[in-house]
Amino acid sequence: MYDFLIVGAGFAGCTLAERLAAGLNKKVLLVDKRNHIGGNAYDYYNKDGILVHQYGPHIFHTNIKRVWNYLSLFTDWHYYQHRVLSHVDGLKVPFPINLDTVNMLFGQQISVFDLIDYFNKVVHDAGVKEIKNARDMAVSRVGNELYNKFFKNYTKKQWALLSEELAPEVTARIPLRINRDPRYFVDPYQGVPRYGYTWMFQRMVADPNIHLLLNADYKKILNEVKFDRMIYTGPIDYFFDYIHGRLPYRSLDFEFQTLHVEQFQEVGTINYPNDYDFTRITEFKHLTGQKHPWTTIIYEYPVEGGEPFYPIPKAENKELFNKYKSEAQKLKSIYFVGRLAEYCYYNMDLVIERALEVFDEIIKEKI
Ligand code: FAD
Ligand code: UDP
């Protein structure tokens, strides 16, 4: 007999399992259909001894101190700050766009003041009155020319949709920098768990109140276990047997390559908006700080079908999700938490924040 059945051992599931078990002394059954914990943040040492992220590169960054402090209970950090270059017009230039990007691309040496004038002009010329989609969002920040070079084709490749068809939040993730800051994120807390994500997750679920069951789809075990309440972190449409139809997700194929050189590229990630079928190449050793005579890189190829990695931020998908949300709200003893259950383009930190909020709600319920 368990107090909670938790479906999914990613950030949402492991955070709630840990809090309920260690914080409230609840008996928890944590189930995942995969053969490992960690969800999409799972990492492991490959056969060449290099630490890699199985489901694509994961860099932790947040401005939520509570979330950083919480994870820091289970891990030390490798204080990595991510850097990205974008391969545009045959050059590799800093991304998000900053002063150096513009100077390199246009072969000039303008000042920050000129840069502000430049963006004021191009944004005015673009004439976006109201931000209705991902194109409007990007163009209203960087103007048409830079949008065409950096955003238009990457977005089409990543989503198989035009930017005009996607919600503004997609490109809103990428700021414009009126300075020379080359970092991808500027959050005050950034890094990767020093010994890897999986090592950290193992510590999160080590409490004796947590019983872990891997390789098990929760629907297959429902008749065999008894529990009071459920926390569900898988795809919400699957939970309801697709009664309202399938929610679309975007997936990726990953190609890993280990190269017999110490370093492949100058920064963690290089984006290829306009060339090739992959969106970006990431070299793990930049992220993890690992020393090794060889190096492993990962190519990301966006695809339809496969693992549900990205909810697709689009008005009609949100409407469909809302139908499932109404169903979910009728179920008083089941909590839907995380990127798949809430059909929300969350980063890791927001998933943890959500899980901690749900934990707070559960405490208030005093059951
Ligand atoms: P998940 O990690 O997806 O965990 C859900 C778990 O539920 C899975 O393990 C799944 O196997 C399990 N499950 C599903 N259905 C069932 C079932 N029927 N029965 C049993 N188990 C089930 N975020 C960042 O902050 N920084 C990054 O750099 C970053 N990079 C990313 C790169 C890629 C390529 C992707 C796809 C995502 C990235 N993210 C990043 C987002 C991050 O992966 C998510 O925010 C986070 O992993 C979501 O955690 P979760 O627990 O909600 O879901
Ligand atoms: N994007 C782009 N060009 C880039 C990088 C990102 O147009 O070089 C857009 C694209 O639509 C992408 C979104 O910004 O889906 C968010 O990018 P981010 O790097 O945050 O995506 P993630 O890491 O979640 O895949």
Side-chain angles (χ1 to χ4, degrees), residues 8 11-12 32-33 39-40 57-59 217-218 338-339 346-348:
F11 267 109
D32 205 295
K33 63 179 185 176
N40 287 341
H58 279 69
I59 302 108
D217 188 312
Y218 82 101
R339 179 146 151 153
Y346 282 141
N347 285 332
M348 294 181 276

Side-chain angles (χ1 to χ4, degrees), residues 7-13 31-34 38-41 55-61 185 216-218 232-235 238 252 254 280 300 309-310 337-340 346-349 351:
V7 179
F11 267 109
V31 182
D32 205 295
K33 63 179 185 176
R34 291 175 174 163
N40 287 341
Y55 305 99
H58 279 69
I59 302 108
F60 189 82
H61 58 100
F185 311 112
D217 188 312
Y218 82 101
Y232 182 76
T233 77
Y238 176 76
L252 297 169
F254 301 113
R280 56 190 178 190
E300 294 176 50
F309 288 136
Y310 293 86
V337 193
R339 179 146 151 153
L340 301 170
Y346 282 141
N347 285 332
M348 294 181 276
D349 62 329
V351 170

Side-chain angles (χ1 to χ4, degrees), residues 58-262:
H58 279 69
I59 302 108
F60 189 82
H61 58 100
T62 190
N63 56 24
I64 310 167
K65 194 167 185 173
R66 182 189 189 200
V67 168
W68 177 259
N69 287 347
Y70 174 69
L71 283 190
S72 302
L73 296 173
F74 309 100
T75 186
D76 294 334
W77 295 95
H78 170 58
Y79 292 105
Y80 169 71
Q81 304 227 335
H82 195 41
R83 284 188 56 190
V84 175
L85 299 176
S86 185
H87 185 264
V88 166
D89 293 350
L91 299 169
K92 290 180 212 159
V93 294
F95 192 79
I97 295 167
N98 68 19
L99 175 63
D100 289 326
T101 314
V102 172
N103 277 331
M104 287 169 78
L105 215 53
F106 298 134
Q108 293 179 2
Q109 274 306 323
I110 65 171
S111 68
V112 166
F113 303 107
D114 297 333
L115 187 72
I116 293 169
D117 289 345
Y118 168 78
F119 280 118
N120 282 340
K121 179 176 182 325
V122 294
V123 167
H124 177 266
D125 291 350
V128 175
K129 297 274 181 296
E130 187 195 343
I131 295 175
K132 296 188 291 299
N133 56 51
R135 178 185 181 277
D136 295 340
M137 176 54 81
V139 165
S140 69
R141 285 179 174 174
V142 304
N144 273 311
E145 185 173 5
L146 295 180
Y147 163 77
N148 286 331
K149 287 183 192 294
F150 289 89
F151 290 90
K152 185 178 173 184
N153 298 329
Y154 187 106
T155 301
K156 197 163 167 222
K157 191 163 28 170
Q158 168 72 15
W159 300 98
L161 291 169
L162 299 175
S163 310
E164 287 84 343
E165 299 173 89
L166 288 159
E169 67 185 86
V170 174
T171 47
R173 292 168 62 88
I174 312 292
L176 166 67
R177 302 215 196 288
I178 308 291
N179 54 34
R180 301 183 63 192
D181 190 339
R183 295 171 302 162
Y184 205 58
F185 311 112
V186 292
D187 291 323
Y189 307 104
Q190 304 189 34
V192 291
R194 178 172 289 278
Y195 312 108
Y197 288 93
T198 304
W199 189 91
M200 178 186 74
F201 280 113
Q202 280 162 352
R203 292 169 57 102
M204 290 173 80
V205 301
D207 192 287
N209 278 333
I210 300 174
H211 182 172
L212 182 64
L213 183 63
L214 296 175
N215 300 303
D217 188 312
Y218 82 101
K219 285 193 185 178
K220 303 251 162 69
I221 57 147
L222 272 181
N223 292 332
E224 293 158 48
V225 288
K226 287 206 165 62
F227 55 91
D228 281 342
R229 284 181 277 177
M230 184 196 285
I231 287 161
Y232 182 76
T233 77
I236 190 166
D237 54 348
Y238 176 76
F239 181 93
F240 290 106
D241 298 321
Y242 309 111
I243 47 169
H244 299 299
R246 280 179 185 263
L247 279 165
Y249 298 89
R250 191 70 173 148
S251 195
L252 297 169
D253 275 350
F254 301 113
E255 184 187 330
F256 291 84
Q257 280 181 18
T258 295
L259 307 167
H260 293 185
V261 294
E262 204 162 347

